[in-house]
PDB file of all heavy atoms in Angstrom:
ATOM      1  N   LYS B 380    -162.237-174.804 -83.227  1.00 90.00           N
ATOM      2  CA  LYS B 380    -162.559-174.972 -81.808  1.00 90.00           C
ATOM      3  C   LYS B 380    -163.441-176.205 -81.631  1.00 90.00           C
ATOM      4  O   LYS B 380    -163.909-176.784 -82.595  1.00 90.00           O
ATOM      5  CB  LYS B 380    -163.291-173.721 -81.312  1.00 90.00           C
ATOM      6  CG  LYS B 380    -162.408-172.502 -81.243  1.00 90.00           C
ATOM      7  CD  LYS B 380    -162.936-171.515 -80.179  1.00 90.00           C
ATOM      8  CE  LYS B 380    -161.965-170.378 -79.957  1.00 90.00           C
ATOM      9  NZ  LYS B 380    -162.175-169.240 -80.873  1.00 90.00           N
ATOM     10  N   ALA B 381    -163.682-176.604 -80.418  1.00 90.00           N
ATOM     11  CA  ALA B 381    -164.596-177.705 -80.080  1.00 90.00           C
ATOM     12  C   ALA B 381    -164.268-179.011 -80.811  1.00 90.00           C
ATOM     13  O   ALA B 381    -165.069-179.513 -81.585  1.00 90.00           O
ATOM     14  CB  ALA B 381    -166.048-177.303 -80.356  1.00 90.00           C
ATOM     15  N   PRO B 382    -163.062-179.563 -80.588  1.00 89.00           N
ATOM     16  CA  PRO B 382    -162.671-180.788 -81.311  1.00 89.00           C
ATOM     17  C   PRO B 382    -163.651-181.941 -81.115  1.00 89.00           C
ATOM     18  O   PRO B 382    -163.940-182.671 -82.059  1.00 89.00           O
ATOM     19  CB  PRO B 382    -161.303-181.136 -80.705  1.00 89.00           C
ATOM     20  CG  PRO B 382    -161.228-180.383 -79.422  1.00 89.00           C
ATOM     21  CD  PRO B 382    -162.042-179.147 -79.618  1.00 89.00           C
ATOM     22  N   GLY B 383    -164.183-182.068 -79.911  1.00 90.00           N
ATOM     23  CA  GLY B 383    -165.087-183.182 -79.635  1.00 90.00           C
ATOM     24  C   GLY B 383    -166.336-183.134 -80.498  1.00 90.00           C
ATOM     25  O   GLY B 383    -166.829-184.158 -80.940  1.00 90.00           O
ATOM     26  N   PHE B 384    -166.817-181.934 -80.767  1.00 93.00           N
ATOM     27  CA  PHE B 384    -168.034-181.777 -81.558  1.00 93.00           C
ATOM     28  C   PHE B 384    -167.851-182.332 -82.968  1.00 93.00           C
ATOM     29  O   PHE B 384    -168.633-183.147 -83.436  1.00 93.00           O
ATOM     30  CB  PHE B 384    -168.427-180.293 -81.611  1.00 93.00           C
ATOM     31  CG  PHE B 384    -169.445-179.982 -82.670  1.00 93.00           C
ATOM     32  CD1 PHE B 384    -170.784-180.292 -82.457  1.00 93.00           C
ATOM     33  CD2 PHE B 384    -169.076-179.403 -83.879  1.00 93.00           C
ATOM     34  CE1 PHE B 384    -171.728-180.025 -83.438  1.00 93.00           C
ATOM     35  CE2 PHE B 384    -170.012-179.137 -84.859  1.00 93.00           C
ATOM     36  CZ  PHE B 384    -171.342-179.445 -84.632  1.00 93.00           C
ATOM     37  N   TRP B 385    -166.787-181.887 -83.651  1.00 94.00           N
ATOM     38  CA  TRP B 385    -166.585-182.302 -85.053  1.00 94.00           C
ATOM     39  C   TRP B 385    -166.379-183.807 -85.129  1.00 94.00           C
ATOM     40  O   TRP B 385    -166.965-184.484 -85.977  1.00 94.00           O
ATOM     41  CB  TRP B 385    -165.378-181.586 -85.651  1.00 94.00           C
ATOM     42  CG  TRP B 385    -165.465-180.105 -85.547  1.00 94.00           C
ATOM     43  CD1 TRP B 385    -164.816-179.306 -84.642  1.00 94.00           C
ATOM     44  CD2 TRP B 385    -166.258-179.228 -86.349  1.00 94.00           C
ATOM     45  NE1 TRP B 385    -165.146-177.998 -84.848  1.00 94.00           N
ATOM     46  CE2 TRP B 385    -166.032-177.909 -85.886  1.00 94.00           C
ATOM     47  CE3 TRP B 385    -167.135-179.415 -87.430  1.00 94.00           C
ATOM     48  CZ2 TRP B 385    -166.644-176.800 -86.458  1.00 94.00           C
ATOM     49  CZ3 TRP B 385    -167.744-178.311 -87.983  1.00 94.00           C
ATOM     50  CH2 TRP B 385    -167.502-177.018 -87.503  1.00 94.00           C
ATOM     51  N   GLN B 386    -165.533-184.295 -84.247  1.00 93.00           N
ATOM     52  CA  GLN B 386    -165.248-185.722 -84.226  1.00 93.00           C
ATOM     53  C   GLN B 386    -166.536-186.504 -83.970  1.00 93.00           C
ATOM     54  O   GLN B 386    -166.824-187.481 -84.647  1.00 93.00           O
ATOM     55  CB  GLN B 386    -164.223-185.976 -83.117  1.00 93.00           C
ATOM     56  CG  GLN B 386    -163.625-187.346 -83.137  1.00 93.00           C
ATOM     57  CD  GLN B 386    -162.806-187.588 -81.876  1.00 93.00           C
ATOM     58  OE1 GLN B 386    -162.517-186.668 -81.122  1.00 93.00           O
ATOM     59  NE2 GLN B 386    -162.449-188.831 -81.649  1.00 93.00           N
ATOM     60  N   GLY B 387    -167.297-186.017 -82.997  1.00 93.00           N
ATOM     61  CA  GLY B 387    -168.531-186.697 -82.632  1.00 93.00           C
ATOM     62  C   GLY B 387    -169.531-186.750 -83.773  1.00 93.00           C
ATOM     63  O   GLY B 387    -170.114-187.786 -84.046  1.00 93.00           O
ATOM     64  N   VAL B 388    -169.691-185.634 -84.458  1.00 95.00           N
ATOM     65  CA  VAL B 388    -170.706-185.583 -85.510  1.00 95.00           C
ATOM     66  C   VAL B 388    -170.265-186.387 -86.738  1.00 95.00           C
ATOM     67  O   VAL B 388    -171.046-187.136 -87.318  1.00 95.00           O
ATOM     68  CB  VAL B 388    -171.020-184.135 -85.904  1.00 95.00           C
ATOM     69  CG1 VAL B 388    -171.918-184.102 -87.123  1.00 95.00           C
ATOM     70  CG2 VAL B 388    -171.678-183.418 -84.741  1.00 95.00           C
ATOM     71  N   LEU B 389    -168.990-186.256 -87.112  1.00 95.00           N
ATOM     72  CA  LEU B 389    -168.544-186.929 -88.339  1.00 95.00           C
ATOM     73  C   LEU B 389    -168.560-188.450 -88.187  1.00 95.00           C
ATOM     74  O   LEU B 389    -168.563-189.167 -89.176  1.00 95.00           O
ATOM     75  CB  LEU B 389    -167.157-186.440 -88.744  1.00 95.00           C
ATOM     76  CG  LEU B 389    -167.155-185.028 -89.346  1.00 95.00           C
ATOM     77  CD1 LEU B 389    -165.742-184.504 -89.530  1.00 95.00           C
ATOM     78  CD2 LEU B 389    -167.883-185.004 -90.685  1.00 95.00           C
ATOM     79  N   TYR B 390    -168.582-188.924 -86.944  1.00 95.00           N
ATOM     80  CA  TYR B 390    -168.606-190.376 -86.757  1.00 95.00           C
ATOM     81  C   TYR B 390    -170.023-190.949 -86.777  1.00 95.00           C
ATOM     82  O   TYR B 390    -170.203-192.153 -86.927  1.00 95.00           O
ATOM     83  CB  TYR B 390    -167.901-190.746 -85.438  1.00 95.00           C
ATOM     84  CG  TYR B 390    -167.714-192.237 -85.280  1.00 95.00           C
ATOM     85  CD1 TYR B 390    -166.800-192.926 -86.061  1.00 95.00           C
ATOM     86  CD2 TYR B 390    -168.477-192.962 -84.378  1.00 95.00           C
ATOM     87  CE1 TYR B 390    -166.644-194.286 -85.961  1.00 95.00           C
ATOM     88  CE2 TYR B 390    -168.334-194.333 -84.257  1.00 95.00           C
ATOM     89  CZ  TYR B 390    -167.413-194.992 -85.051  1.00 95.00           C
ATOM     90  OH  TYR B 390    -167.270-196.340 -84.950  1.00 95.00           O
ATOM     91  N   VAL B 391    -171.019-190.088 -86.662  1.00 95.00           N
ATOM     92  CA  VAL B 391    -172.411-190.557 -86.525  1.00 95.00           C
ATOM     93  C   VAL B 391    -172.832-191.611 -87.577  1.00 95.00           C
ATOM     94  O   VAL B 391    -173.406-192.635 -87.212  1.00 95.00           O
ATOM     95  CB  VAL B 391    -173.399-189.369 -86.509  1.00 95.00           C
ATOM     96  CG1 VAL B 391    -174.819-189.832 -86.732  1.00 95.00           C
ATOM     97  CG2 VAL B 391    -173.304-188.643 -85.181  1.00 95.00           C
ATOM     98  N   PRO B 392    -172.528-191.418 -88.880  1.00 95.00           N
ATOM     99  CA  PRO B 392    -173.017-192.408 -89.852  1.00 95.00           C
ATOM    100  C   PRO B 392    -172.521-193.830 -89.576  1.00 95.00           C
ATOM    101  O   PRO B 392    -173.171-194.795 -89.965  1.00 95.00           O
ATOM    102  CB  PRO B 392    -172.463-191.891 -91.182  1.00 95.00           C
ATOM    103  CG  PRO B 392    -172.278-190.446 -90.989  1.00 95.00           C
ATOM    104  CD  PRO B 392    -171.862-190.287 -89.554  1.00 95.00           C
TER     105      PRO B 392
END
Side-chain angles (χ1 to χ4, degrees):
Chain B
K380 291 206 172 88
F384 165 77
W385 305 102
Q386 191 189 348
V388 172
L389 286 171
Y390 188 71
V391 165

